Amino acid sequence: MASTEPERSVLQPAGLRRRVIFWRHGRTSWNAARRFQGQSDIPLDEVGASQASRAASLLAGKLVRHGPEFHGNEPTMQILSSDLSRAFSTAQQLATLTGGDVLVDPRLRETYGGDWEGKTFDEIIEQFPEQIQKWQRDEPGVRAGGGETRVEVAHRMVAAVLENVEALPDGGTLVVTTHGGATRVAVAQMLGLPEHLWRTLSGLSNCHWSVLEASQSAAAGNGIGNWRLLEHNVGTLPEPYELPEDLAEPVED
């Protein structure tokens, strides 16, 4: 029987090109309540733990299947995580399946939201209407609740990612388990987008991921602007549509 799988997966070995997978953590109770989490350390809820387990299986299937675990004595894949528990718990799900270790870097945390943390978005809109509008437009210099700017978050995120990419062999993959807003600005900066265009990218849904690939070989450099976007905000394909039984033609099989 012929295979129905596509001939090429975006996670196949890329030769001399390195890849970065930004993977958002699973759902928390504050996500469900639409509260601004920022750097508050809120754990996964039951739904989030289930999301992390399922997404880890999808990622592991592609990562392990399409590439050797080691290149010489060097691992071809490394998992790097924010130190906040919701991200680290998500990363551990993948590490369990792949047999890898999880490195932790606090530079991968979500935006520090100052006075906004713990408030619902409706409360923030009511109490800080002008500030939240500017922040949602990615205006430079706007601090979330008096905390960080988008640019500050992007700088620390990208610095952490590029440092760890350099430690990988040619063709290696870095899985960065982190947060939705932080991922959006990091991806935008790595692609070399000017700040006024950062808003053209969406944030990530819980346990969805984005894939960047170096646009040239490692020898030519993998810095800012030398990446291309292969996938964005991907989690899984929807279930195929089936006609309800009471509308379908009867069959004798």
Side-chain angles (χ1 to χ4, degrees), residues 21 23 29 70 73 79 118 135 142 161 204 213 228 231 235 248:
I21 301 175
W23 184 27
S29 61
F70 288 88
N73 293 322
I79 305 171
W135 183 76
V142 177
V161 169
L204 297 187
E213 179 185 77
R228 59 185 180 182
E231 297 185 4

Side-chain angles (χ1 to χ4, degrees), residues 220-239:
N222 295 153
I224 292 172
N226 291 325
W227 297 85
R228 59 185 180 182
L229 185 63
L230 299 184
E231 297 185 4
H232 184 60
N233 200 23
V234 174
T236 183
L237 293 174
E239 293 295 323

Side-chain angles (χ1 to χ4, degrees), residues 201-217:
L201 292 178
S202 69
L204 297 187
S205 302
N206 287 119
C207 265
H208 284 47
W209 60 81
S210 293
V211 182
L212 295 185
E213 179 185 77
S215 58
Q216 49 196 329
S217 70

Side-chain angles (χ1 to χ4, degrees), residues 122-136:
D122 287 342
E123 291 170 338
I124 295 171
I125 291 170
E126 181 181 350
Q127 297 174 29
F128 307 92
E130 183 177 352
Q131 188 182 17
I132 187 67
Q133 285 183 9
K134 291 180 178 180
W135 183 76
Q136 289 178 330

Side-chain angles (χ1 to χ4, degrees), residues 21 35 40 46 51 64 68 74 79 82 90 127 150 161 165 179 188 193 200 219 221 232 248:
I21 301 175
R35 294 189 182 277
S40 299
E46 185 175 347
Q51 290 174 334
V64 174
E74 298 178 288
I79 305 171
S82 159
T90 300
Q127 297 174 29
R150 302 278 197 191
V161 169
V165 164
H179 309 269
L193 294 179
T200 60
H232 184 60

